[in-house]
Amino acid sequence: MAHSYSKVLRACAILATAAAVCAAPMAPAGADEPSSIVLAGSRDVGAARAYQDAKDAPPSKYIKKVYETRTTANLNLRSKASTSSKSYGVMPKGTAVDPTGKKSGTWTQVVWKRKTGWASSKYLKTATYTEDNSVRYIKGYTRIYADADYHRSVGHVQFRTKVTLLDIKGSWSQIKSGSSYGWVPSSYVAKEQPAKQYRYVQKSGPIYSHYDKSKSKTVGRIRHGAKYEYRRWDSKNRRDEILVGGKWVWTSMTNRPYVAPQYRYAQKDGATYSSASKSTSKKVGKIARGTKVRWAAWDSKNRRDEVLLNGRWIWTDVTNRNKPKGHTPKVVAVQPYSRFASQNAPFRKSPRSNPYDTSILTLRDGDKVTVTGKAEGGWVRVKYGKHTGYVIEKNDLRKDGPYSVAVYGTLRTGQSAYNLMSGYQQKAMNQRFAKSSLYQMWNPNWTFLTNGSGTVVNEQFQYSRSKGPAMLKKLDIYESQLKYNGKPIYTRQRVSMVDGSQSWTYKTHRESEQLVKRSGRYIGSGDFLKRS
């Protein structure tokens, strides 16, 4: 039932006489609280809602109608309202000008580039549009107050909510949210939307419907190590409000510090159960020896772990922290990519940490390999020549070869300068630079690698740490001979390959690339051997 504004004021006056305040602050608002406004001490909820309802909010001072005048043709700015008067210059079509409000017949006085003059009204067009500078965002949960003080709360607004700025008074901002309007401290208002905040589950436990422990119901469970979007903290009940499954709920199990997920391994084949309790749980499946599963909780009474298996949280009594003895992790195939050996590393038959596991061979520092699969523990399956084996990626491989050089012109196999490439320990043929182009200039042998949208054929040479430094020095001298305006056209740069590895190569720098693309001939095949 709707009530008038005057009735609300009378209700406030009566309360003020009795208690020296019109209304007491509201209790912290929960996720299930209505957004309507309730005056403390008043039973007239309809009147309270009408008093500060969003639809009754005053107009924003930051939404304005703007009038803009522009020229519709190239137009002279005259010193007087006459075509025979002096021109201050020609205003290009579409130029914005500021009319002064004065007119003389078919002429309008305007300001352009700090000059005041006259322009033909026929070629001026004024348009009206709305300039909206009222969009703001809330930086943290806060109450909304009826006035610019803390005396009477009329609602609340959540973290990251988009609101309309209506007015500013001292350190207070008047805003309009989706349901109500009123005043909030300006420190809670920002022009940019704050980034989302997250909390981590420190310990598996329940989630609740309400912040108040006396009103809340258990509505689910969250697990150790999970990450959830956070909205606010209720200090009285010591609960966070987090977003779970699209719903805002409350919990005391989350905090700011990152929590790394934990895992367990099945020590033998065993059963899985619907709950920890041995008396009430039902058997729901099986788990095989060696299976790695995400862990959530340990029930000491029933001696069961809560683990994630095939997308479902279940309980089992056959898991613990240790990998079962002799366990070989499952290998998952990946899109092949290439790396270089970062040290002399044993190339094993299986992805196992057992130091006595048989090695096929020892990779040499700098050898190039292709990764084709991954397994737990950091192991990767790699192909090296005719051999396939396993190494630990973090310890044994790197993306860039410190003494790997990729060549695409006269240094390639069988070409005029190939003899300079002697002493390598490994060579990879038919490789391609990523995001590159090839150009030819002046001499058929003068080809240049530039940035581009295609790929360029190359050969990768890997050198040992003992020979690599001298090789790079020799190539630096050789490639610096070709110059333009006294500067070498090439510089040695690290370039990425299509296969994911990186090598040194000699490529145009920014200045020389402009010259090459302007004056050179593009080689569409990206292959030096197919140039004409």
Side-chain angles (χ1 to χ4, degrees):
M1 178 177 179
H3 291 257
S4 67
Y5 178 72
S6 60
K7 289 183 178 180
V8 176
L9 293 180
R10 287 199 297 273
C12 289
I14 293 170
L15 290 172
T17 303
V21 292
C22 184
M26 296 173 65
D32 58 349
E33 286 188 324
S35 57
S36 59
I37 301 146
V38 180
L39 296 179
S42 172
R43 296 180 181 178
D44 196 345
V45 177
R49 182 179 294 112
Y51 180 62
Q52 299 276 201
D53 198 295
K55 64 182 177 59
D56 298 323
S60 171
K61 293 183 178 181
Y62 302 93
I63 301 178
K64 299 178 181 179
K65 281 189 176 181
V66 177
Y67 301 92
E68 183 180 74
T69 301
R70 290 183 178 272
T71 61
T72 61
N74 295 335
L75 187 62
N76 280 292
L77 180 67
R78 301 284 183 179
S79 60
K80 297 179 180 180
S82 169
T83 56
S84 62
S85 65
K86 178 183 176 181
S87 173
Y88 291 141
V90 176
M91 299 178 289
K93 180 180 178 180
T95 299
V97 297
D98 295 321
T100 65
K102 293 183 179 180
K103 288 183 176 288
S104 177
T106 59
W107 294 81
T108 299
Q109 191 182 55
V110 298
V111 178
W112 173 59
K113 289 187 175 180
R114 298 183 180 180
K115 294 180 180 179
T116 302
W118 295 85
S120 173
S121 303
K122 180 181 177 181
Y123 299 104
L124 296 174
K125 183 178 181 180
T126 300
T128 304
Y129 65 93
T130 301
E131 185 177 75
D132 188 350
N133 291 315
S134 69
V135 176
R136 296 292 188 273
Y137 297 91
I138 299 302
K139 294 165 65 175
Y141 169 84
T142 182
R143 300 177 192 277
I144 301 175
Y145 297 91
D147 298 299
D149 54 43
Y150 292 100
H151 291 161
R152 185 154 49 90
S153 172
V154 295
H156 66 274
V157 63
Q158 298 286 3
F159 173 58
R160 301 187 79 240
T161 300
K162 182 179 178 181
V163 298
T164 300
L165 178 64
L166 305 178
D167 198 1
I168 294 177
K169 185 189 296 183
S171 61
W172 289 80
S173 294
Q174 188 181 36
I175 63 160
K176 179 176 70 173
S177 67
S179 59
S180 59
Y181 77 95
W183 296 85
V184 299
S186 295
S187 58
Y188 281 91
V189 181
K191 288 186 176 181
E192 301 293 333
Q193 188 173 37
K196 291 181 179 180
Q197 292 189 24
Y198 297 91
R199 295 295 183 266
Y200 296 90
V201 181
Q202 309 292 309
K203 180 181 178 182
S204 298
I207 50 178
Y208 304 99
S209 59
H210 202 275
Y211 64 89
D212 190 332
K213 295 180 181 180
S214 64
K215 299 178 181 179
S216 65
K217 295 180 180 179
T218 301
V219 293
R221 180 176 170 82
I222 52 178
R223 272 84 181 185
H224 175 272
K227 175 184 175 183
Y228 294 104
E229 185 180 346
Y230 158 88
R231 193 157 72 176
R232 67 185 179 106
W233 159 252
D234 183 80
S235 57
K236 180 180 178 181
N237 295 282
R238 304 193 64 78
R239 286 181 175 177
D240 279 328
E241 189 178 19
I242 60 172
L243 186 63
V244 180
K247 294 183 178 181
W248 288 100
V249 295
W250 296 83
T251 183
S252 57
M253 299 297 169
T254 52
N255 207 336
R256 293 173 185 270
Y258 168 75
V259 177
Q262 291 189 23
Y263 298 90
R264 298 294 185 266
Y265 298 87
Q267 304 300 303
K268 61 182 179 179
D269 294 346
T272 59
Y273 304 92
S274 59
S275 69
S277 173
K278 293 183 179 180
S279 60
T280 61
S281 64
K282 295 181 180 179
K283 185 176 178 181
V284 293
K286 297 179 179 180
I287 186 171
R289 180 180 184 272
T291 302
K292 180 183 179 182
V293 286
R294 170 88 178 273
W295 175 86
W298 162 249
D299 186 285
S300 58
K301 179 180 178 181
N302 296 285
R303 304 194 65 77
R304 284 180 176 175
D305 278 324
E306 185 181 22
V307 297
L308 183 64
L309 180 64
N310 299 326
R312 181 181 179 186
W313 287 100
I314 47 84
W315 295 81
T316 182
D317 53 13
V318 298
T319 52
N320 68 28
R321 298 173 185 269
N322 304 316
K323 297 178 184 178
K325 188 175 181 180
H327 168 60
T328 301
K330 180 182 178 181
V331 180
V332 179
V334 298
Q335 183 69 30
Y337 60 91
S338 294
R339 292 291 184 265
F340 297 96
S342 59
Q343 60 180 347
N344 294 332
F347 199 58
R348 301 189 183 278
K349 282 186 175 181
S350 63
R352 293 166 57 179
S353 299
N354 185 345
Y356 301 105
D357 190 28
T358 306
S359 296
I360 301 172
L361 49 82
T362 298
L363 286 180
R364 295 172 298 177
D365 181 12
D367 278 347
K368 186 178 182 182
V369 299
T370 301
V371 178
T372 62
K374 291 191 174 185
E376 64 183 75
W379 290 93
V380 288
R381 181 178 64 207
V382 300
K383 185 176 181 182
Y384 174 65
K386 297 180 179 180
H387 302 284
T388 298
Y390 297 86
V391 296
I392 296 178
E393 185 169 28
K394 183 178 179 180
N395 298 341
D396 302 328
L397 302 181
R398 60 185 294 170
K399 179 184 290 188
D400 58 307
Y403 301 109
S404 173
V405 181
V407 299
Y408 54 90
T410 56
L411 294 170
R412 286 177 61 179
T413 303
Q415 300 306 300
S416 59
Y418 176 66
N419 62 299
L420 291 174
M421 307 303 294
S422 62
Y424 59 86
Q425 73 176 28
Q426 187 187 23
K427 177 171 66 172
M429 304 288 286
N430 299 317
Q431 307 299 295
R432 280 189 175 267
F433 293 118
K435 298 180 180 180
S436 300
S437 294
L438 192 64
Y439 285 83
Q440 179 181 336
M441 286 180 64
W442 307 316
N443 184 310
N445 285 338
W446 292 357
T447 50
F448 304 89
L449 181 70
T450 70
N451 294 314
S453 58
T455 62
V456 173
V457 177
N458 68 77
E459 298 171 12
Q460 272 180 309
F461 292 79
Q462 279 69 251
Y463 294 88
S464 65
R465 290 187 184 274
S466 61
K467 295 185 178 181
M471 186 64 197
L472 291 179
K473 184 176 181 180
K474 179 171 65 172
L475 290 176
D476 286 345
I477 295 172
Y478 174 76
E479 296 288 11
S480 66
Q481 296 179 79
L482 192 59
K483 298 181 179 181
Y484 178 74
N485 286 340
K487 297 180 180 179
I489 295 182
Y490 303 107
T491 60
R492 177 155 56 91
Q493 303 173 38
R494 283 203 185 280
V495 179
S496 295
M497 304 290 165
V498 171
D499 64 14
S501 64
Q502 292 181 347
S503 289
W504 292 111
T505 196
Y506 292 85
K507 181 180 177 181
T508 54
H509 49 77
R510 185 171 62 180
E511 182 181 346
S512 60
E513 180 171 315
Q514 294 175 355
L515 166 70
V516 167
K517 289 185 174 180
R518 184 174 63 247
S519 305
R521 185 179 69 83
Y522 174 65
I523 302 175
S525 65
D527 191 345
F528 175 80
L529 302 183
K530 295 180 181 179
R531 73 199 188 287
S532 60

